[in-house]
Amino acid sequence: MINAPDTPDAFEIFPWNRNFETGIQEIDEQHKVLVNILNRLAWHFASDSSELSADHVLDELLSYAAFHFQFEEKIWNKALGEDGMARNHHDAHQMFFVQIHELRKSGEPQEDILTNLFDFLTRWLAFHILESDRRMALTARMVEKGYALNEARDRVDSELSGSVSVLVNALLEIYGKLSASTIQLMREKMARHRAEDDLQRLQNERLSQALEEQAGEYQQHLESLAYNDALTGLRNRNGIIRQIRDCMAEEERADNSAALVSIDLDHFIDLNACLGEDAADRLLGLLARRWLDAIPADACLARIGGDEFALLLPDASQAESRLEALRLTARQPFELDGAEVSVTFTAGVVLFPDQAVQDADILLRQANNTLYRAKHEMHGGWLYLDAGEQNQYHARQLLLDDIRRGLSYEEFRLFYQPKVNLRTGEVLGAEALIRWQHPQKGLLSPIHFLPGIEHHALNVQVGEWVLRESLQQMQRWDKQGVELNVSVNVSAFQLQSGDFPERLKHILSEFPQIDPARLDLEILETAALGELDRAVQTINECRELGVRFSLDDFGTGYSSLSYLKRLPVDTLKVDREFVSGADGSRENLSILRGIVGLSGVFGKQIIAEGVETIRQGQILLSLGCEQAQGYAMSPPVEPDRLPEWITNWKTFPEWQEYDGS
Ligand code: C2E
Ligand code: CA
Ligand code: CA
C-alpha cells in the first residue's frame, strides 16, 4: 500500500532493537511490522522523492492493529485471565485506534499528519512495546512456570523497575536524536512553504481593518520565515532576490554601479564528511557571522542553500576589497570541536543594473554561471561577468589568453634594480621586476597585467616563471664573475597556493649551483594576514630550504605589532611612500623614524625602497637605515646592463660621510 523506498534497507533510522523482544516469536514478528512502517515514514521525510499518502499509512496501521492487538490479547487472556492488567492493556490498544482515527479526522495537511503520526509511533514503540508488552510477556511466562498471578506480577515489577525506565528513556533519546534532524528539516520546509503561501495571501487580499493591525506583527514573523535562512540568520534566496529587485528599481542608479556575487565554498563536501553535519552547520553559522562583520551596512548577504552564498553590494567599486575581506576572514581558522578549520571560496561577480538583464532571478543565475566558470578555472579565486558595455569579463578573458600566449612566446622579461648600502656603496643584490614585451602594446609594466590575474591560477604560473628566470639569470651573472643575490616578489596568492614550499624546492633543485640563501622572497604583509599560523609554517618550510624572506611595502599593512613579531622574515622593506614623504613634513619624518625603529625592536634588517634624492638617503642614514633601493641609484634595468652599472657605481659623497655613529 505504501510505496516502498527504492532501497528499503538503506534507511533504517530505527533498527530493530533486541530490547523490544518479548520472547514470544509471533508477537515479535508483528512488532517488526510496526518498526518497518516507522522506517518508511522516516525515509519519506528524508527523501524528497518519496510519495506517501497519509490515508494509506493510517489504513495500513488500522488493519495491522486490528489483527495484532487481537492476536496479542488472546495470548495475554489465556495466560492471565481477564485480569485488571489485561484490561488496562486492552484499553491502551483501544487508545491506539482512537489516536489513529483522530489523526485521520484532523483535516490537517498530509505532511502534518505524517509528522504527528511519526511522533506518536515512536512513543508508542518505546512505551507500549518496551514497557507494557514486555511486562505482559514476562508475567505470562512466570504464571506458566507456576507462580500465582499476584506473585508473578510483583516479581516482574521488581525486575523491571528502574531498568525499564532507563531503557525507555535511552531509546527515546536515541530516537529523538536520530529523527530530530530529518523531522526538523521537514518542519522548516513546511513552515516556509506555508509562510510563503500566507504571505502571498496577505499581500493579495487586503484584509479588514482589524486584521490589518495584527498583520503587521504577523507579517514580520512570516517575512522572517519567508526571507531568512534559519541556519545562519542571513537572508535566503527569496530575501536577496527581493533586495536585488529593490536595488534595480532605484531611479538614480547608474549602470553597473552595483555588484552581485555568487559564492561557493571550496571542498565543503569534504569538510562535511570529516566534521560531521552538525559541526559543518555550525561552521556555516560562524562564517556567516564573520562575513556579516566584513560587509558594509547597505550590503546584503544571503545563504542560497547548502554552502552557496550570495552577496549584494550596492557599491560595485567595493567588490574587490570586500571579496578580499571575505577571503581573509574565511581563512582565519575556526575552532570546531577541538579541530581548526579554515575555508576558501570561489566566486562569480556580475555588475548591474544592465539594460539586457532586468530580472533578479536571471541576474542571480548569471552570477552563478560566472561562479561555475571560475570554479572550472580554479578554486579560491573569483571572476567577473561584466554585464555592461565594457565587458570586463570579456576583457579579462582576453587578458588571460594573451598572458598564456605571452608565456609561451617568451615575451616576459625581468628587469633588475640594485640594492645597495648607501654609506659604503656595497651592492647587496637586485630585485627582479617583471615586464611584458608585448608585440602590439610595447613594454608593459606589471600594473598593466598583474592585477588582472591576482586571484587566478596564471598568477602562480607567472610567479614560477619569475623564480626560474631569476635563478637562471644568477647563473648567467655568476659565469661572468658577477655574483649577485636576487629578490623575487611572491604574490599572496602564490604563497598561499598550498604546495608553494614543495614547488619552490623543485625549482631550486633545477639550479643546484645556486645557493638558496642568495634568493630573497619579497612578500606583502597581506600575504601573511590571512592566517598567521599557516603563513608562518609556509615561510618556515621555505626557510628550511635556505631562502630568505623580506616583508615588502612595510608600514602600509594593518598588522598588529605582535603579529609582525611572529612573522619569520629576515628583512623589513620600508615602503617608498614613507621614504618620499620623509623630506617633507616633520610628521612624515617621525613616521619613518618609527618604522625604522620598529625593525630594531623586532631584530630585523631594514631596507628602504624608492630613494630618489640625496636628501632622502641622508635622512635614512641619520635614522640608521643604510640599505636602500631607488631611482637615486638606479632604476630597474635590463640584466645585461647591470654588470656595467656595478662597475661604474660609486655612492654619493654626502652619504659616505655617515660613519655609522
Ligand atoms: P614593488 O615590489 O614595491 O617594487 C618596486 C616598484 O617601485 C617597482 O615598480 C619599481 O620600478 C618602482 N621603483 C623603484 N625605485 C623607485 C623610485 O625611486 N621611485 C619610485 N617612484 N618608484 C620606484 P614596478 O616594477 O612597476 O613594480 C610594481 C609592483 O609590481 C612591484 O612593487 C611589485 O609589487 C609588483 N611586481 C613586479 N614584479 C613582480 C613579480 O615578478 N612578481 C610579483 N608577484 N609582483 C611583481
Ligand atoms: Ca618588491
Ligand atoms: Ca614595495
Side-chain angles (χ1 to χ4, degrees), residues 419 431-433 487-490 522-524 552-553 573 609 629:
K419 296 181 174 183
E431 178 180 8
L433 292 156
S487 298
V488 166
N489 292 285
V490 173
E522 295 192 3
I523 59 168
L524 294 170
D552 209 348
D553 294 359
K573 195 167 184 188
E609 67 174 17
Q629 178 183 348

Side-chain angles (χ1 to χ4, degrees), residues 621-640:
L621 283 166
S622 75
L623 297 176
C625 174
E626 295 194 341
Q627 308 188 12
Q629 178 183 348
Y631 292 166
M633 292 74 86
S634 166
V637 295
E638 283 168 72
D640 292 346

Side-chain angles (χ1 to χ4, degrees), residues 438-452:
H438 195 277
Q440 281 94 38
K441 299 174 187 161
L443 191 67
L444 296 180
S445 92
I447 46 159
H448 289 109
F449 54 94
L450 287 188

